[in-house]
Amino acid sequence: MLTRSLCILTLSSFIVACNSEDIETANFGSSYYKNDYTLINTTNQEIDFHMANTELDGDERDVKRNKYYVDTLASGADPIKTRHEHNGKYKISFYVQDHSQNTRNYKKLYKVNNDQDYHFIAWQDEELVRLSLVKNQQDNKDNFFAVRFLATETVTLTVNEKPLTLTQGDVSHWRHVDDCNADIKVDDKILSICHASYSNSYTLVVDKSGIKATITE
């Protein structure tokens, strides 16, 4: 007995066999979109990234399955980009897991904006892995660093001598700083961004120990 429904589509003079996911893609029609995602691993583990569209009726697919695997990133590896196709009416399951211990995993369901690129970020909550989806944006200002912060734990920063308190998973509004080695602090510790460039925008993944990753927008 077949475990997967098959269809026959007649397009011009061609006959094409397809499974239920091919039907979904064929039915996207004018609601069909492609977004780019930057995969970023800020954890201390090697991380597997998965993505899966929901069914046409809105039911979730099992995003943990190998068929929805996108890529694996080692701790500290350079970010990579991937393109994912979706229907504007439905949500996408985003999933990360520790490559060597797949019981450490985390999943979120998002309805993404159409034709909007995102950062798909894996981050660490003590021994657990978590994920955030952050819109790829810029707020460039000449002769300043444009920065925003993703907090992996509740933390209070000082930015331009003003306190900025973030709870875990928060993404701040943009701030503009001009001294790369003085304007951002956690407690009394300076968080240097002198590896960045003026007039560009960055998302900083932070905790109480400092900057875990600098993401170029």
Side-chain angles (χ1 to χ4, degrees):
M1 185 174 179
L2 292 176
T3 59
R4 183 178 296 171
S5 62
L6 299 178
C7 72
I8 302 296
L9 296 178
T10 303
L11 300 173
S12 302
S13 59
F14 297 96
I15 297 178
V16 182
C18 58
N19 62 29
S20 60
E21 290 187 50
D22 293 325
I23 296 171
E24 175 185 321
T25 301
N27 284 325
F28 276 176
S30 61
S31 298
Y32 176 67
Y33 297 91
K34 295 180 181 180
N35 289 352
D36 287 334
Y37 296 85
T38 305
L39 309 184
I40 302 161
N41 179 14
T42 70
T43 76
N44 295 328
Q45 292 87 39
E46 191 173 25
I47 296 293
D48 297 333
F49 293 78
H50 293 226
M51 299 169 64
N53 295 337
T54 52
E55 301 279 2
L56 279 174
D57 60 6
D59 290 340
E60 290 186 56
R61 293 192 171 107
D62 184 4
V63 69
K64 297 179 182 181
R65 295 177 63 187
N66 287 337
K67 69 188 299 182
Y68 302 119
Y69 165 81
V70 178
D71 215 320
T72 299
L73 281 151
S75 177
D78 290 336
I80 62 168
K81 285 192 175 182
T82 187
R83 178 162 291 180
H84 186 80
E85 303 167 346
H86 73 278
N87 187 306
K89 298 179 181 178
Y90 301 102
K91 294 183 178 180
I92 301 173
S93 293
F94 295 86
Y95 173 80
V96 292
Q97 69 174 28
D98 184 333
H99 182 76
S100 62
Q101 190 174 340
N102 60 19
T103 55
R104 292 181 181 173
N105 58 65
Y106 193 71
K107 181 185 75 171
K108 278 191 176 182
L109 194 66
Y110 286 94
K111 184 177 179 181
V112 299
N113 292 345
N114 301 331
D115 297 324
Q116 166 69 58
D117 296 337
Y118 289 88
H119 302 302
F120 179 5
I121 306 168
W123 49 272
Q124 195 157 342
D125 176 12
E126 297 182 352
E127 296 302 313
L128 304 175
V129 294
R130 294 285 186 259
L131 72 87
S132 290
L133 199 69
V134 179
K135 290 180 181 179
N136 189 332
Q137 297 178 333
Q138 293 182 346
D139 196 28
N140 295 347
K141 184 177 179 181
D142 287 345
N143 301 315
F144 284 83
F145 304 92
V147 293
R148 61 179 176 176
F149 305 91
L150 166 62
T152 64
E153 62 179 340
T154 297
V155 61
T156 297
L157 306 176
T158 302
V159 183
N160 293 327
E161 300 184 349
K162 296 180 180 179
L164 174 62
T165 299
L166 300 168
T167 58
Q168 187 180 65
D170 274 357
V171 179
S172 74
H173 296 299
W174 290 100
R175 301 290 193 275
H176 295 91
V177 301
D178 62 358
D179 190 330
C180 67
N181 202 39
D183 287 347
I184 306 171
K185 298 179 181 179
V186 58
D187 295 328
D188 291 326
K189 177 183 176 182
I190 293 172
L191 303 187
S192 175
I193 56 168
C194 292
H195 54 289
S197 298
Y198 281 106
S199 306
N200 289 312
S201 299
Y202 302 91
T203 298
L204 306 179
V205 182
V206 297
D207 63 14
K208 292 176 182 176
S209 69
I211 298 173
K212 309 301 290 184
T214 302
I215 301 168
T216 302
E217 297 292 339

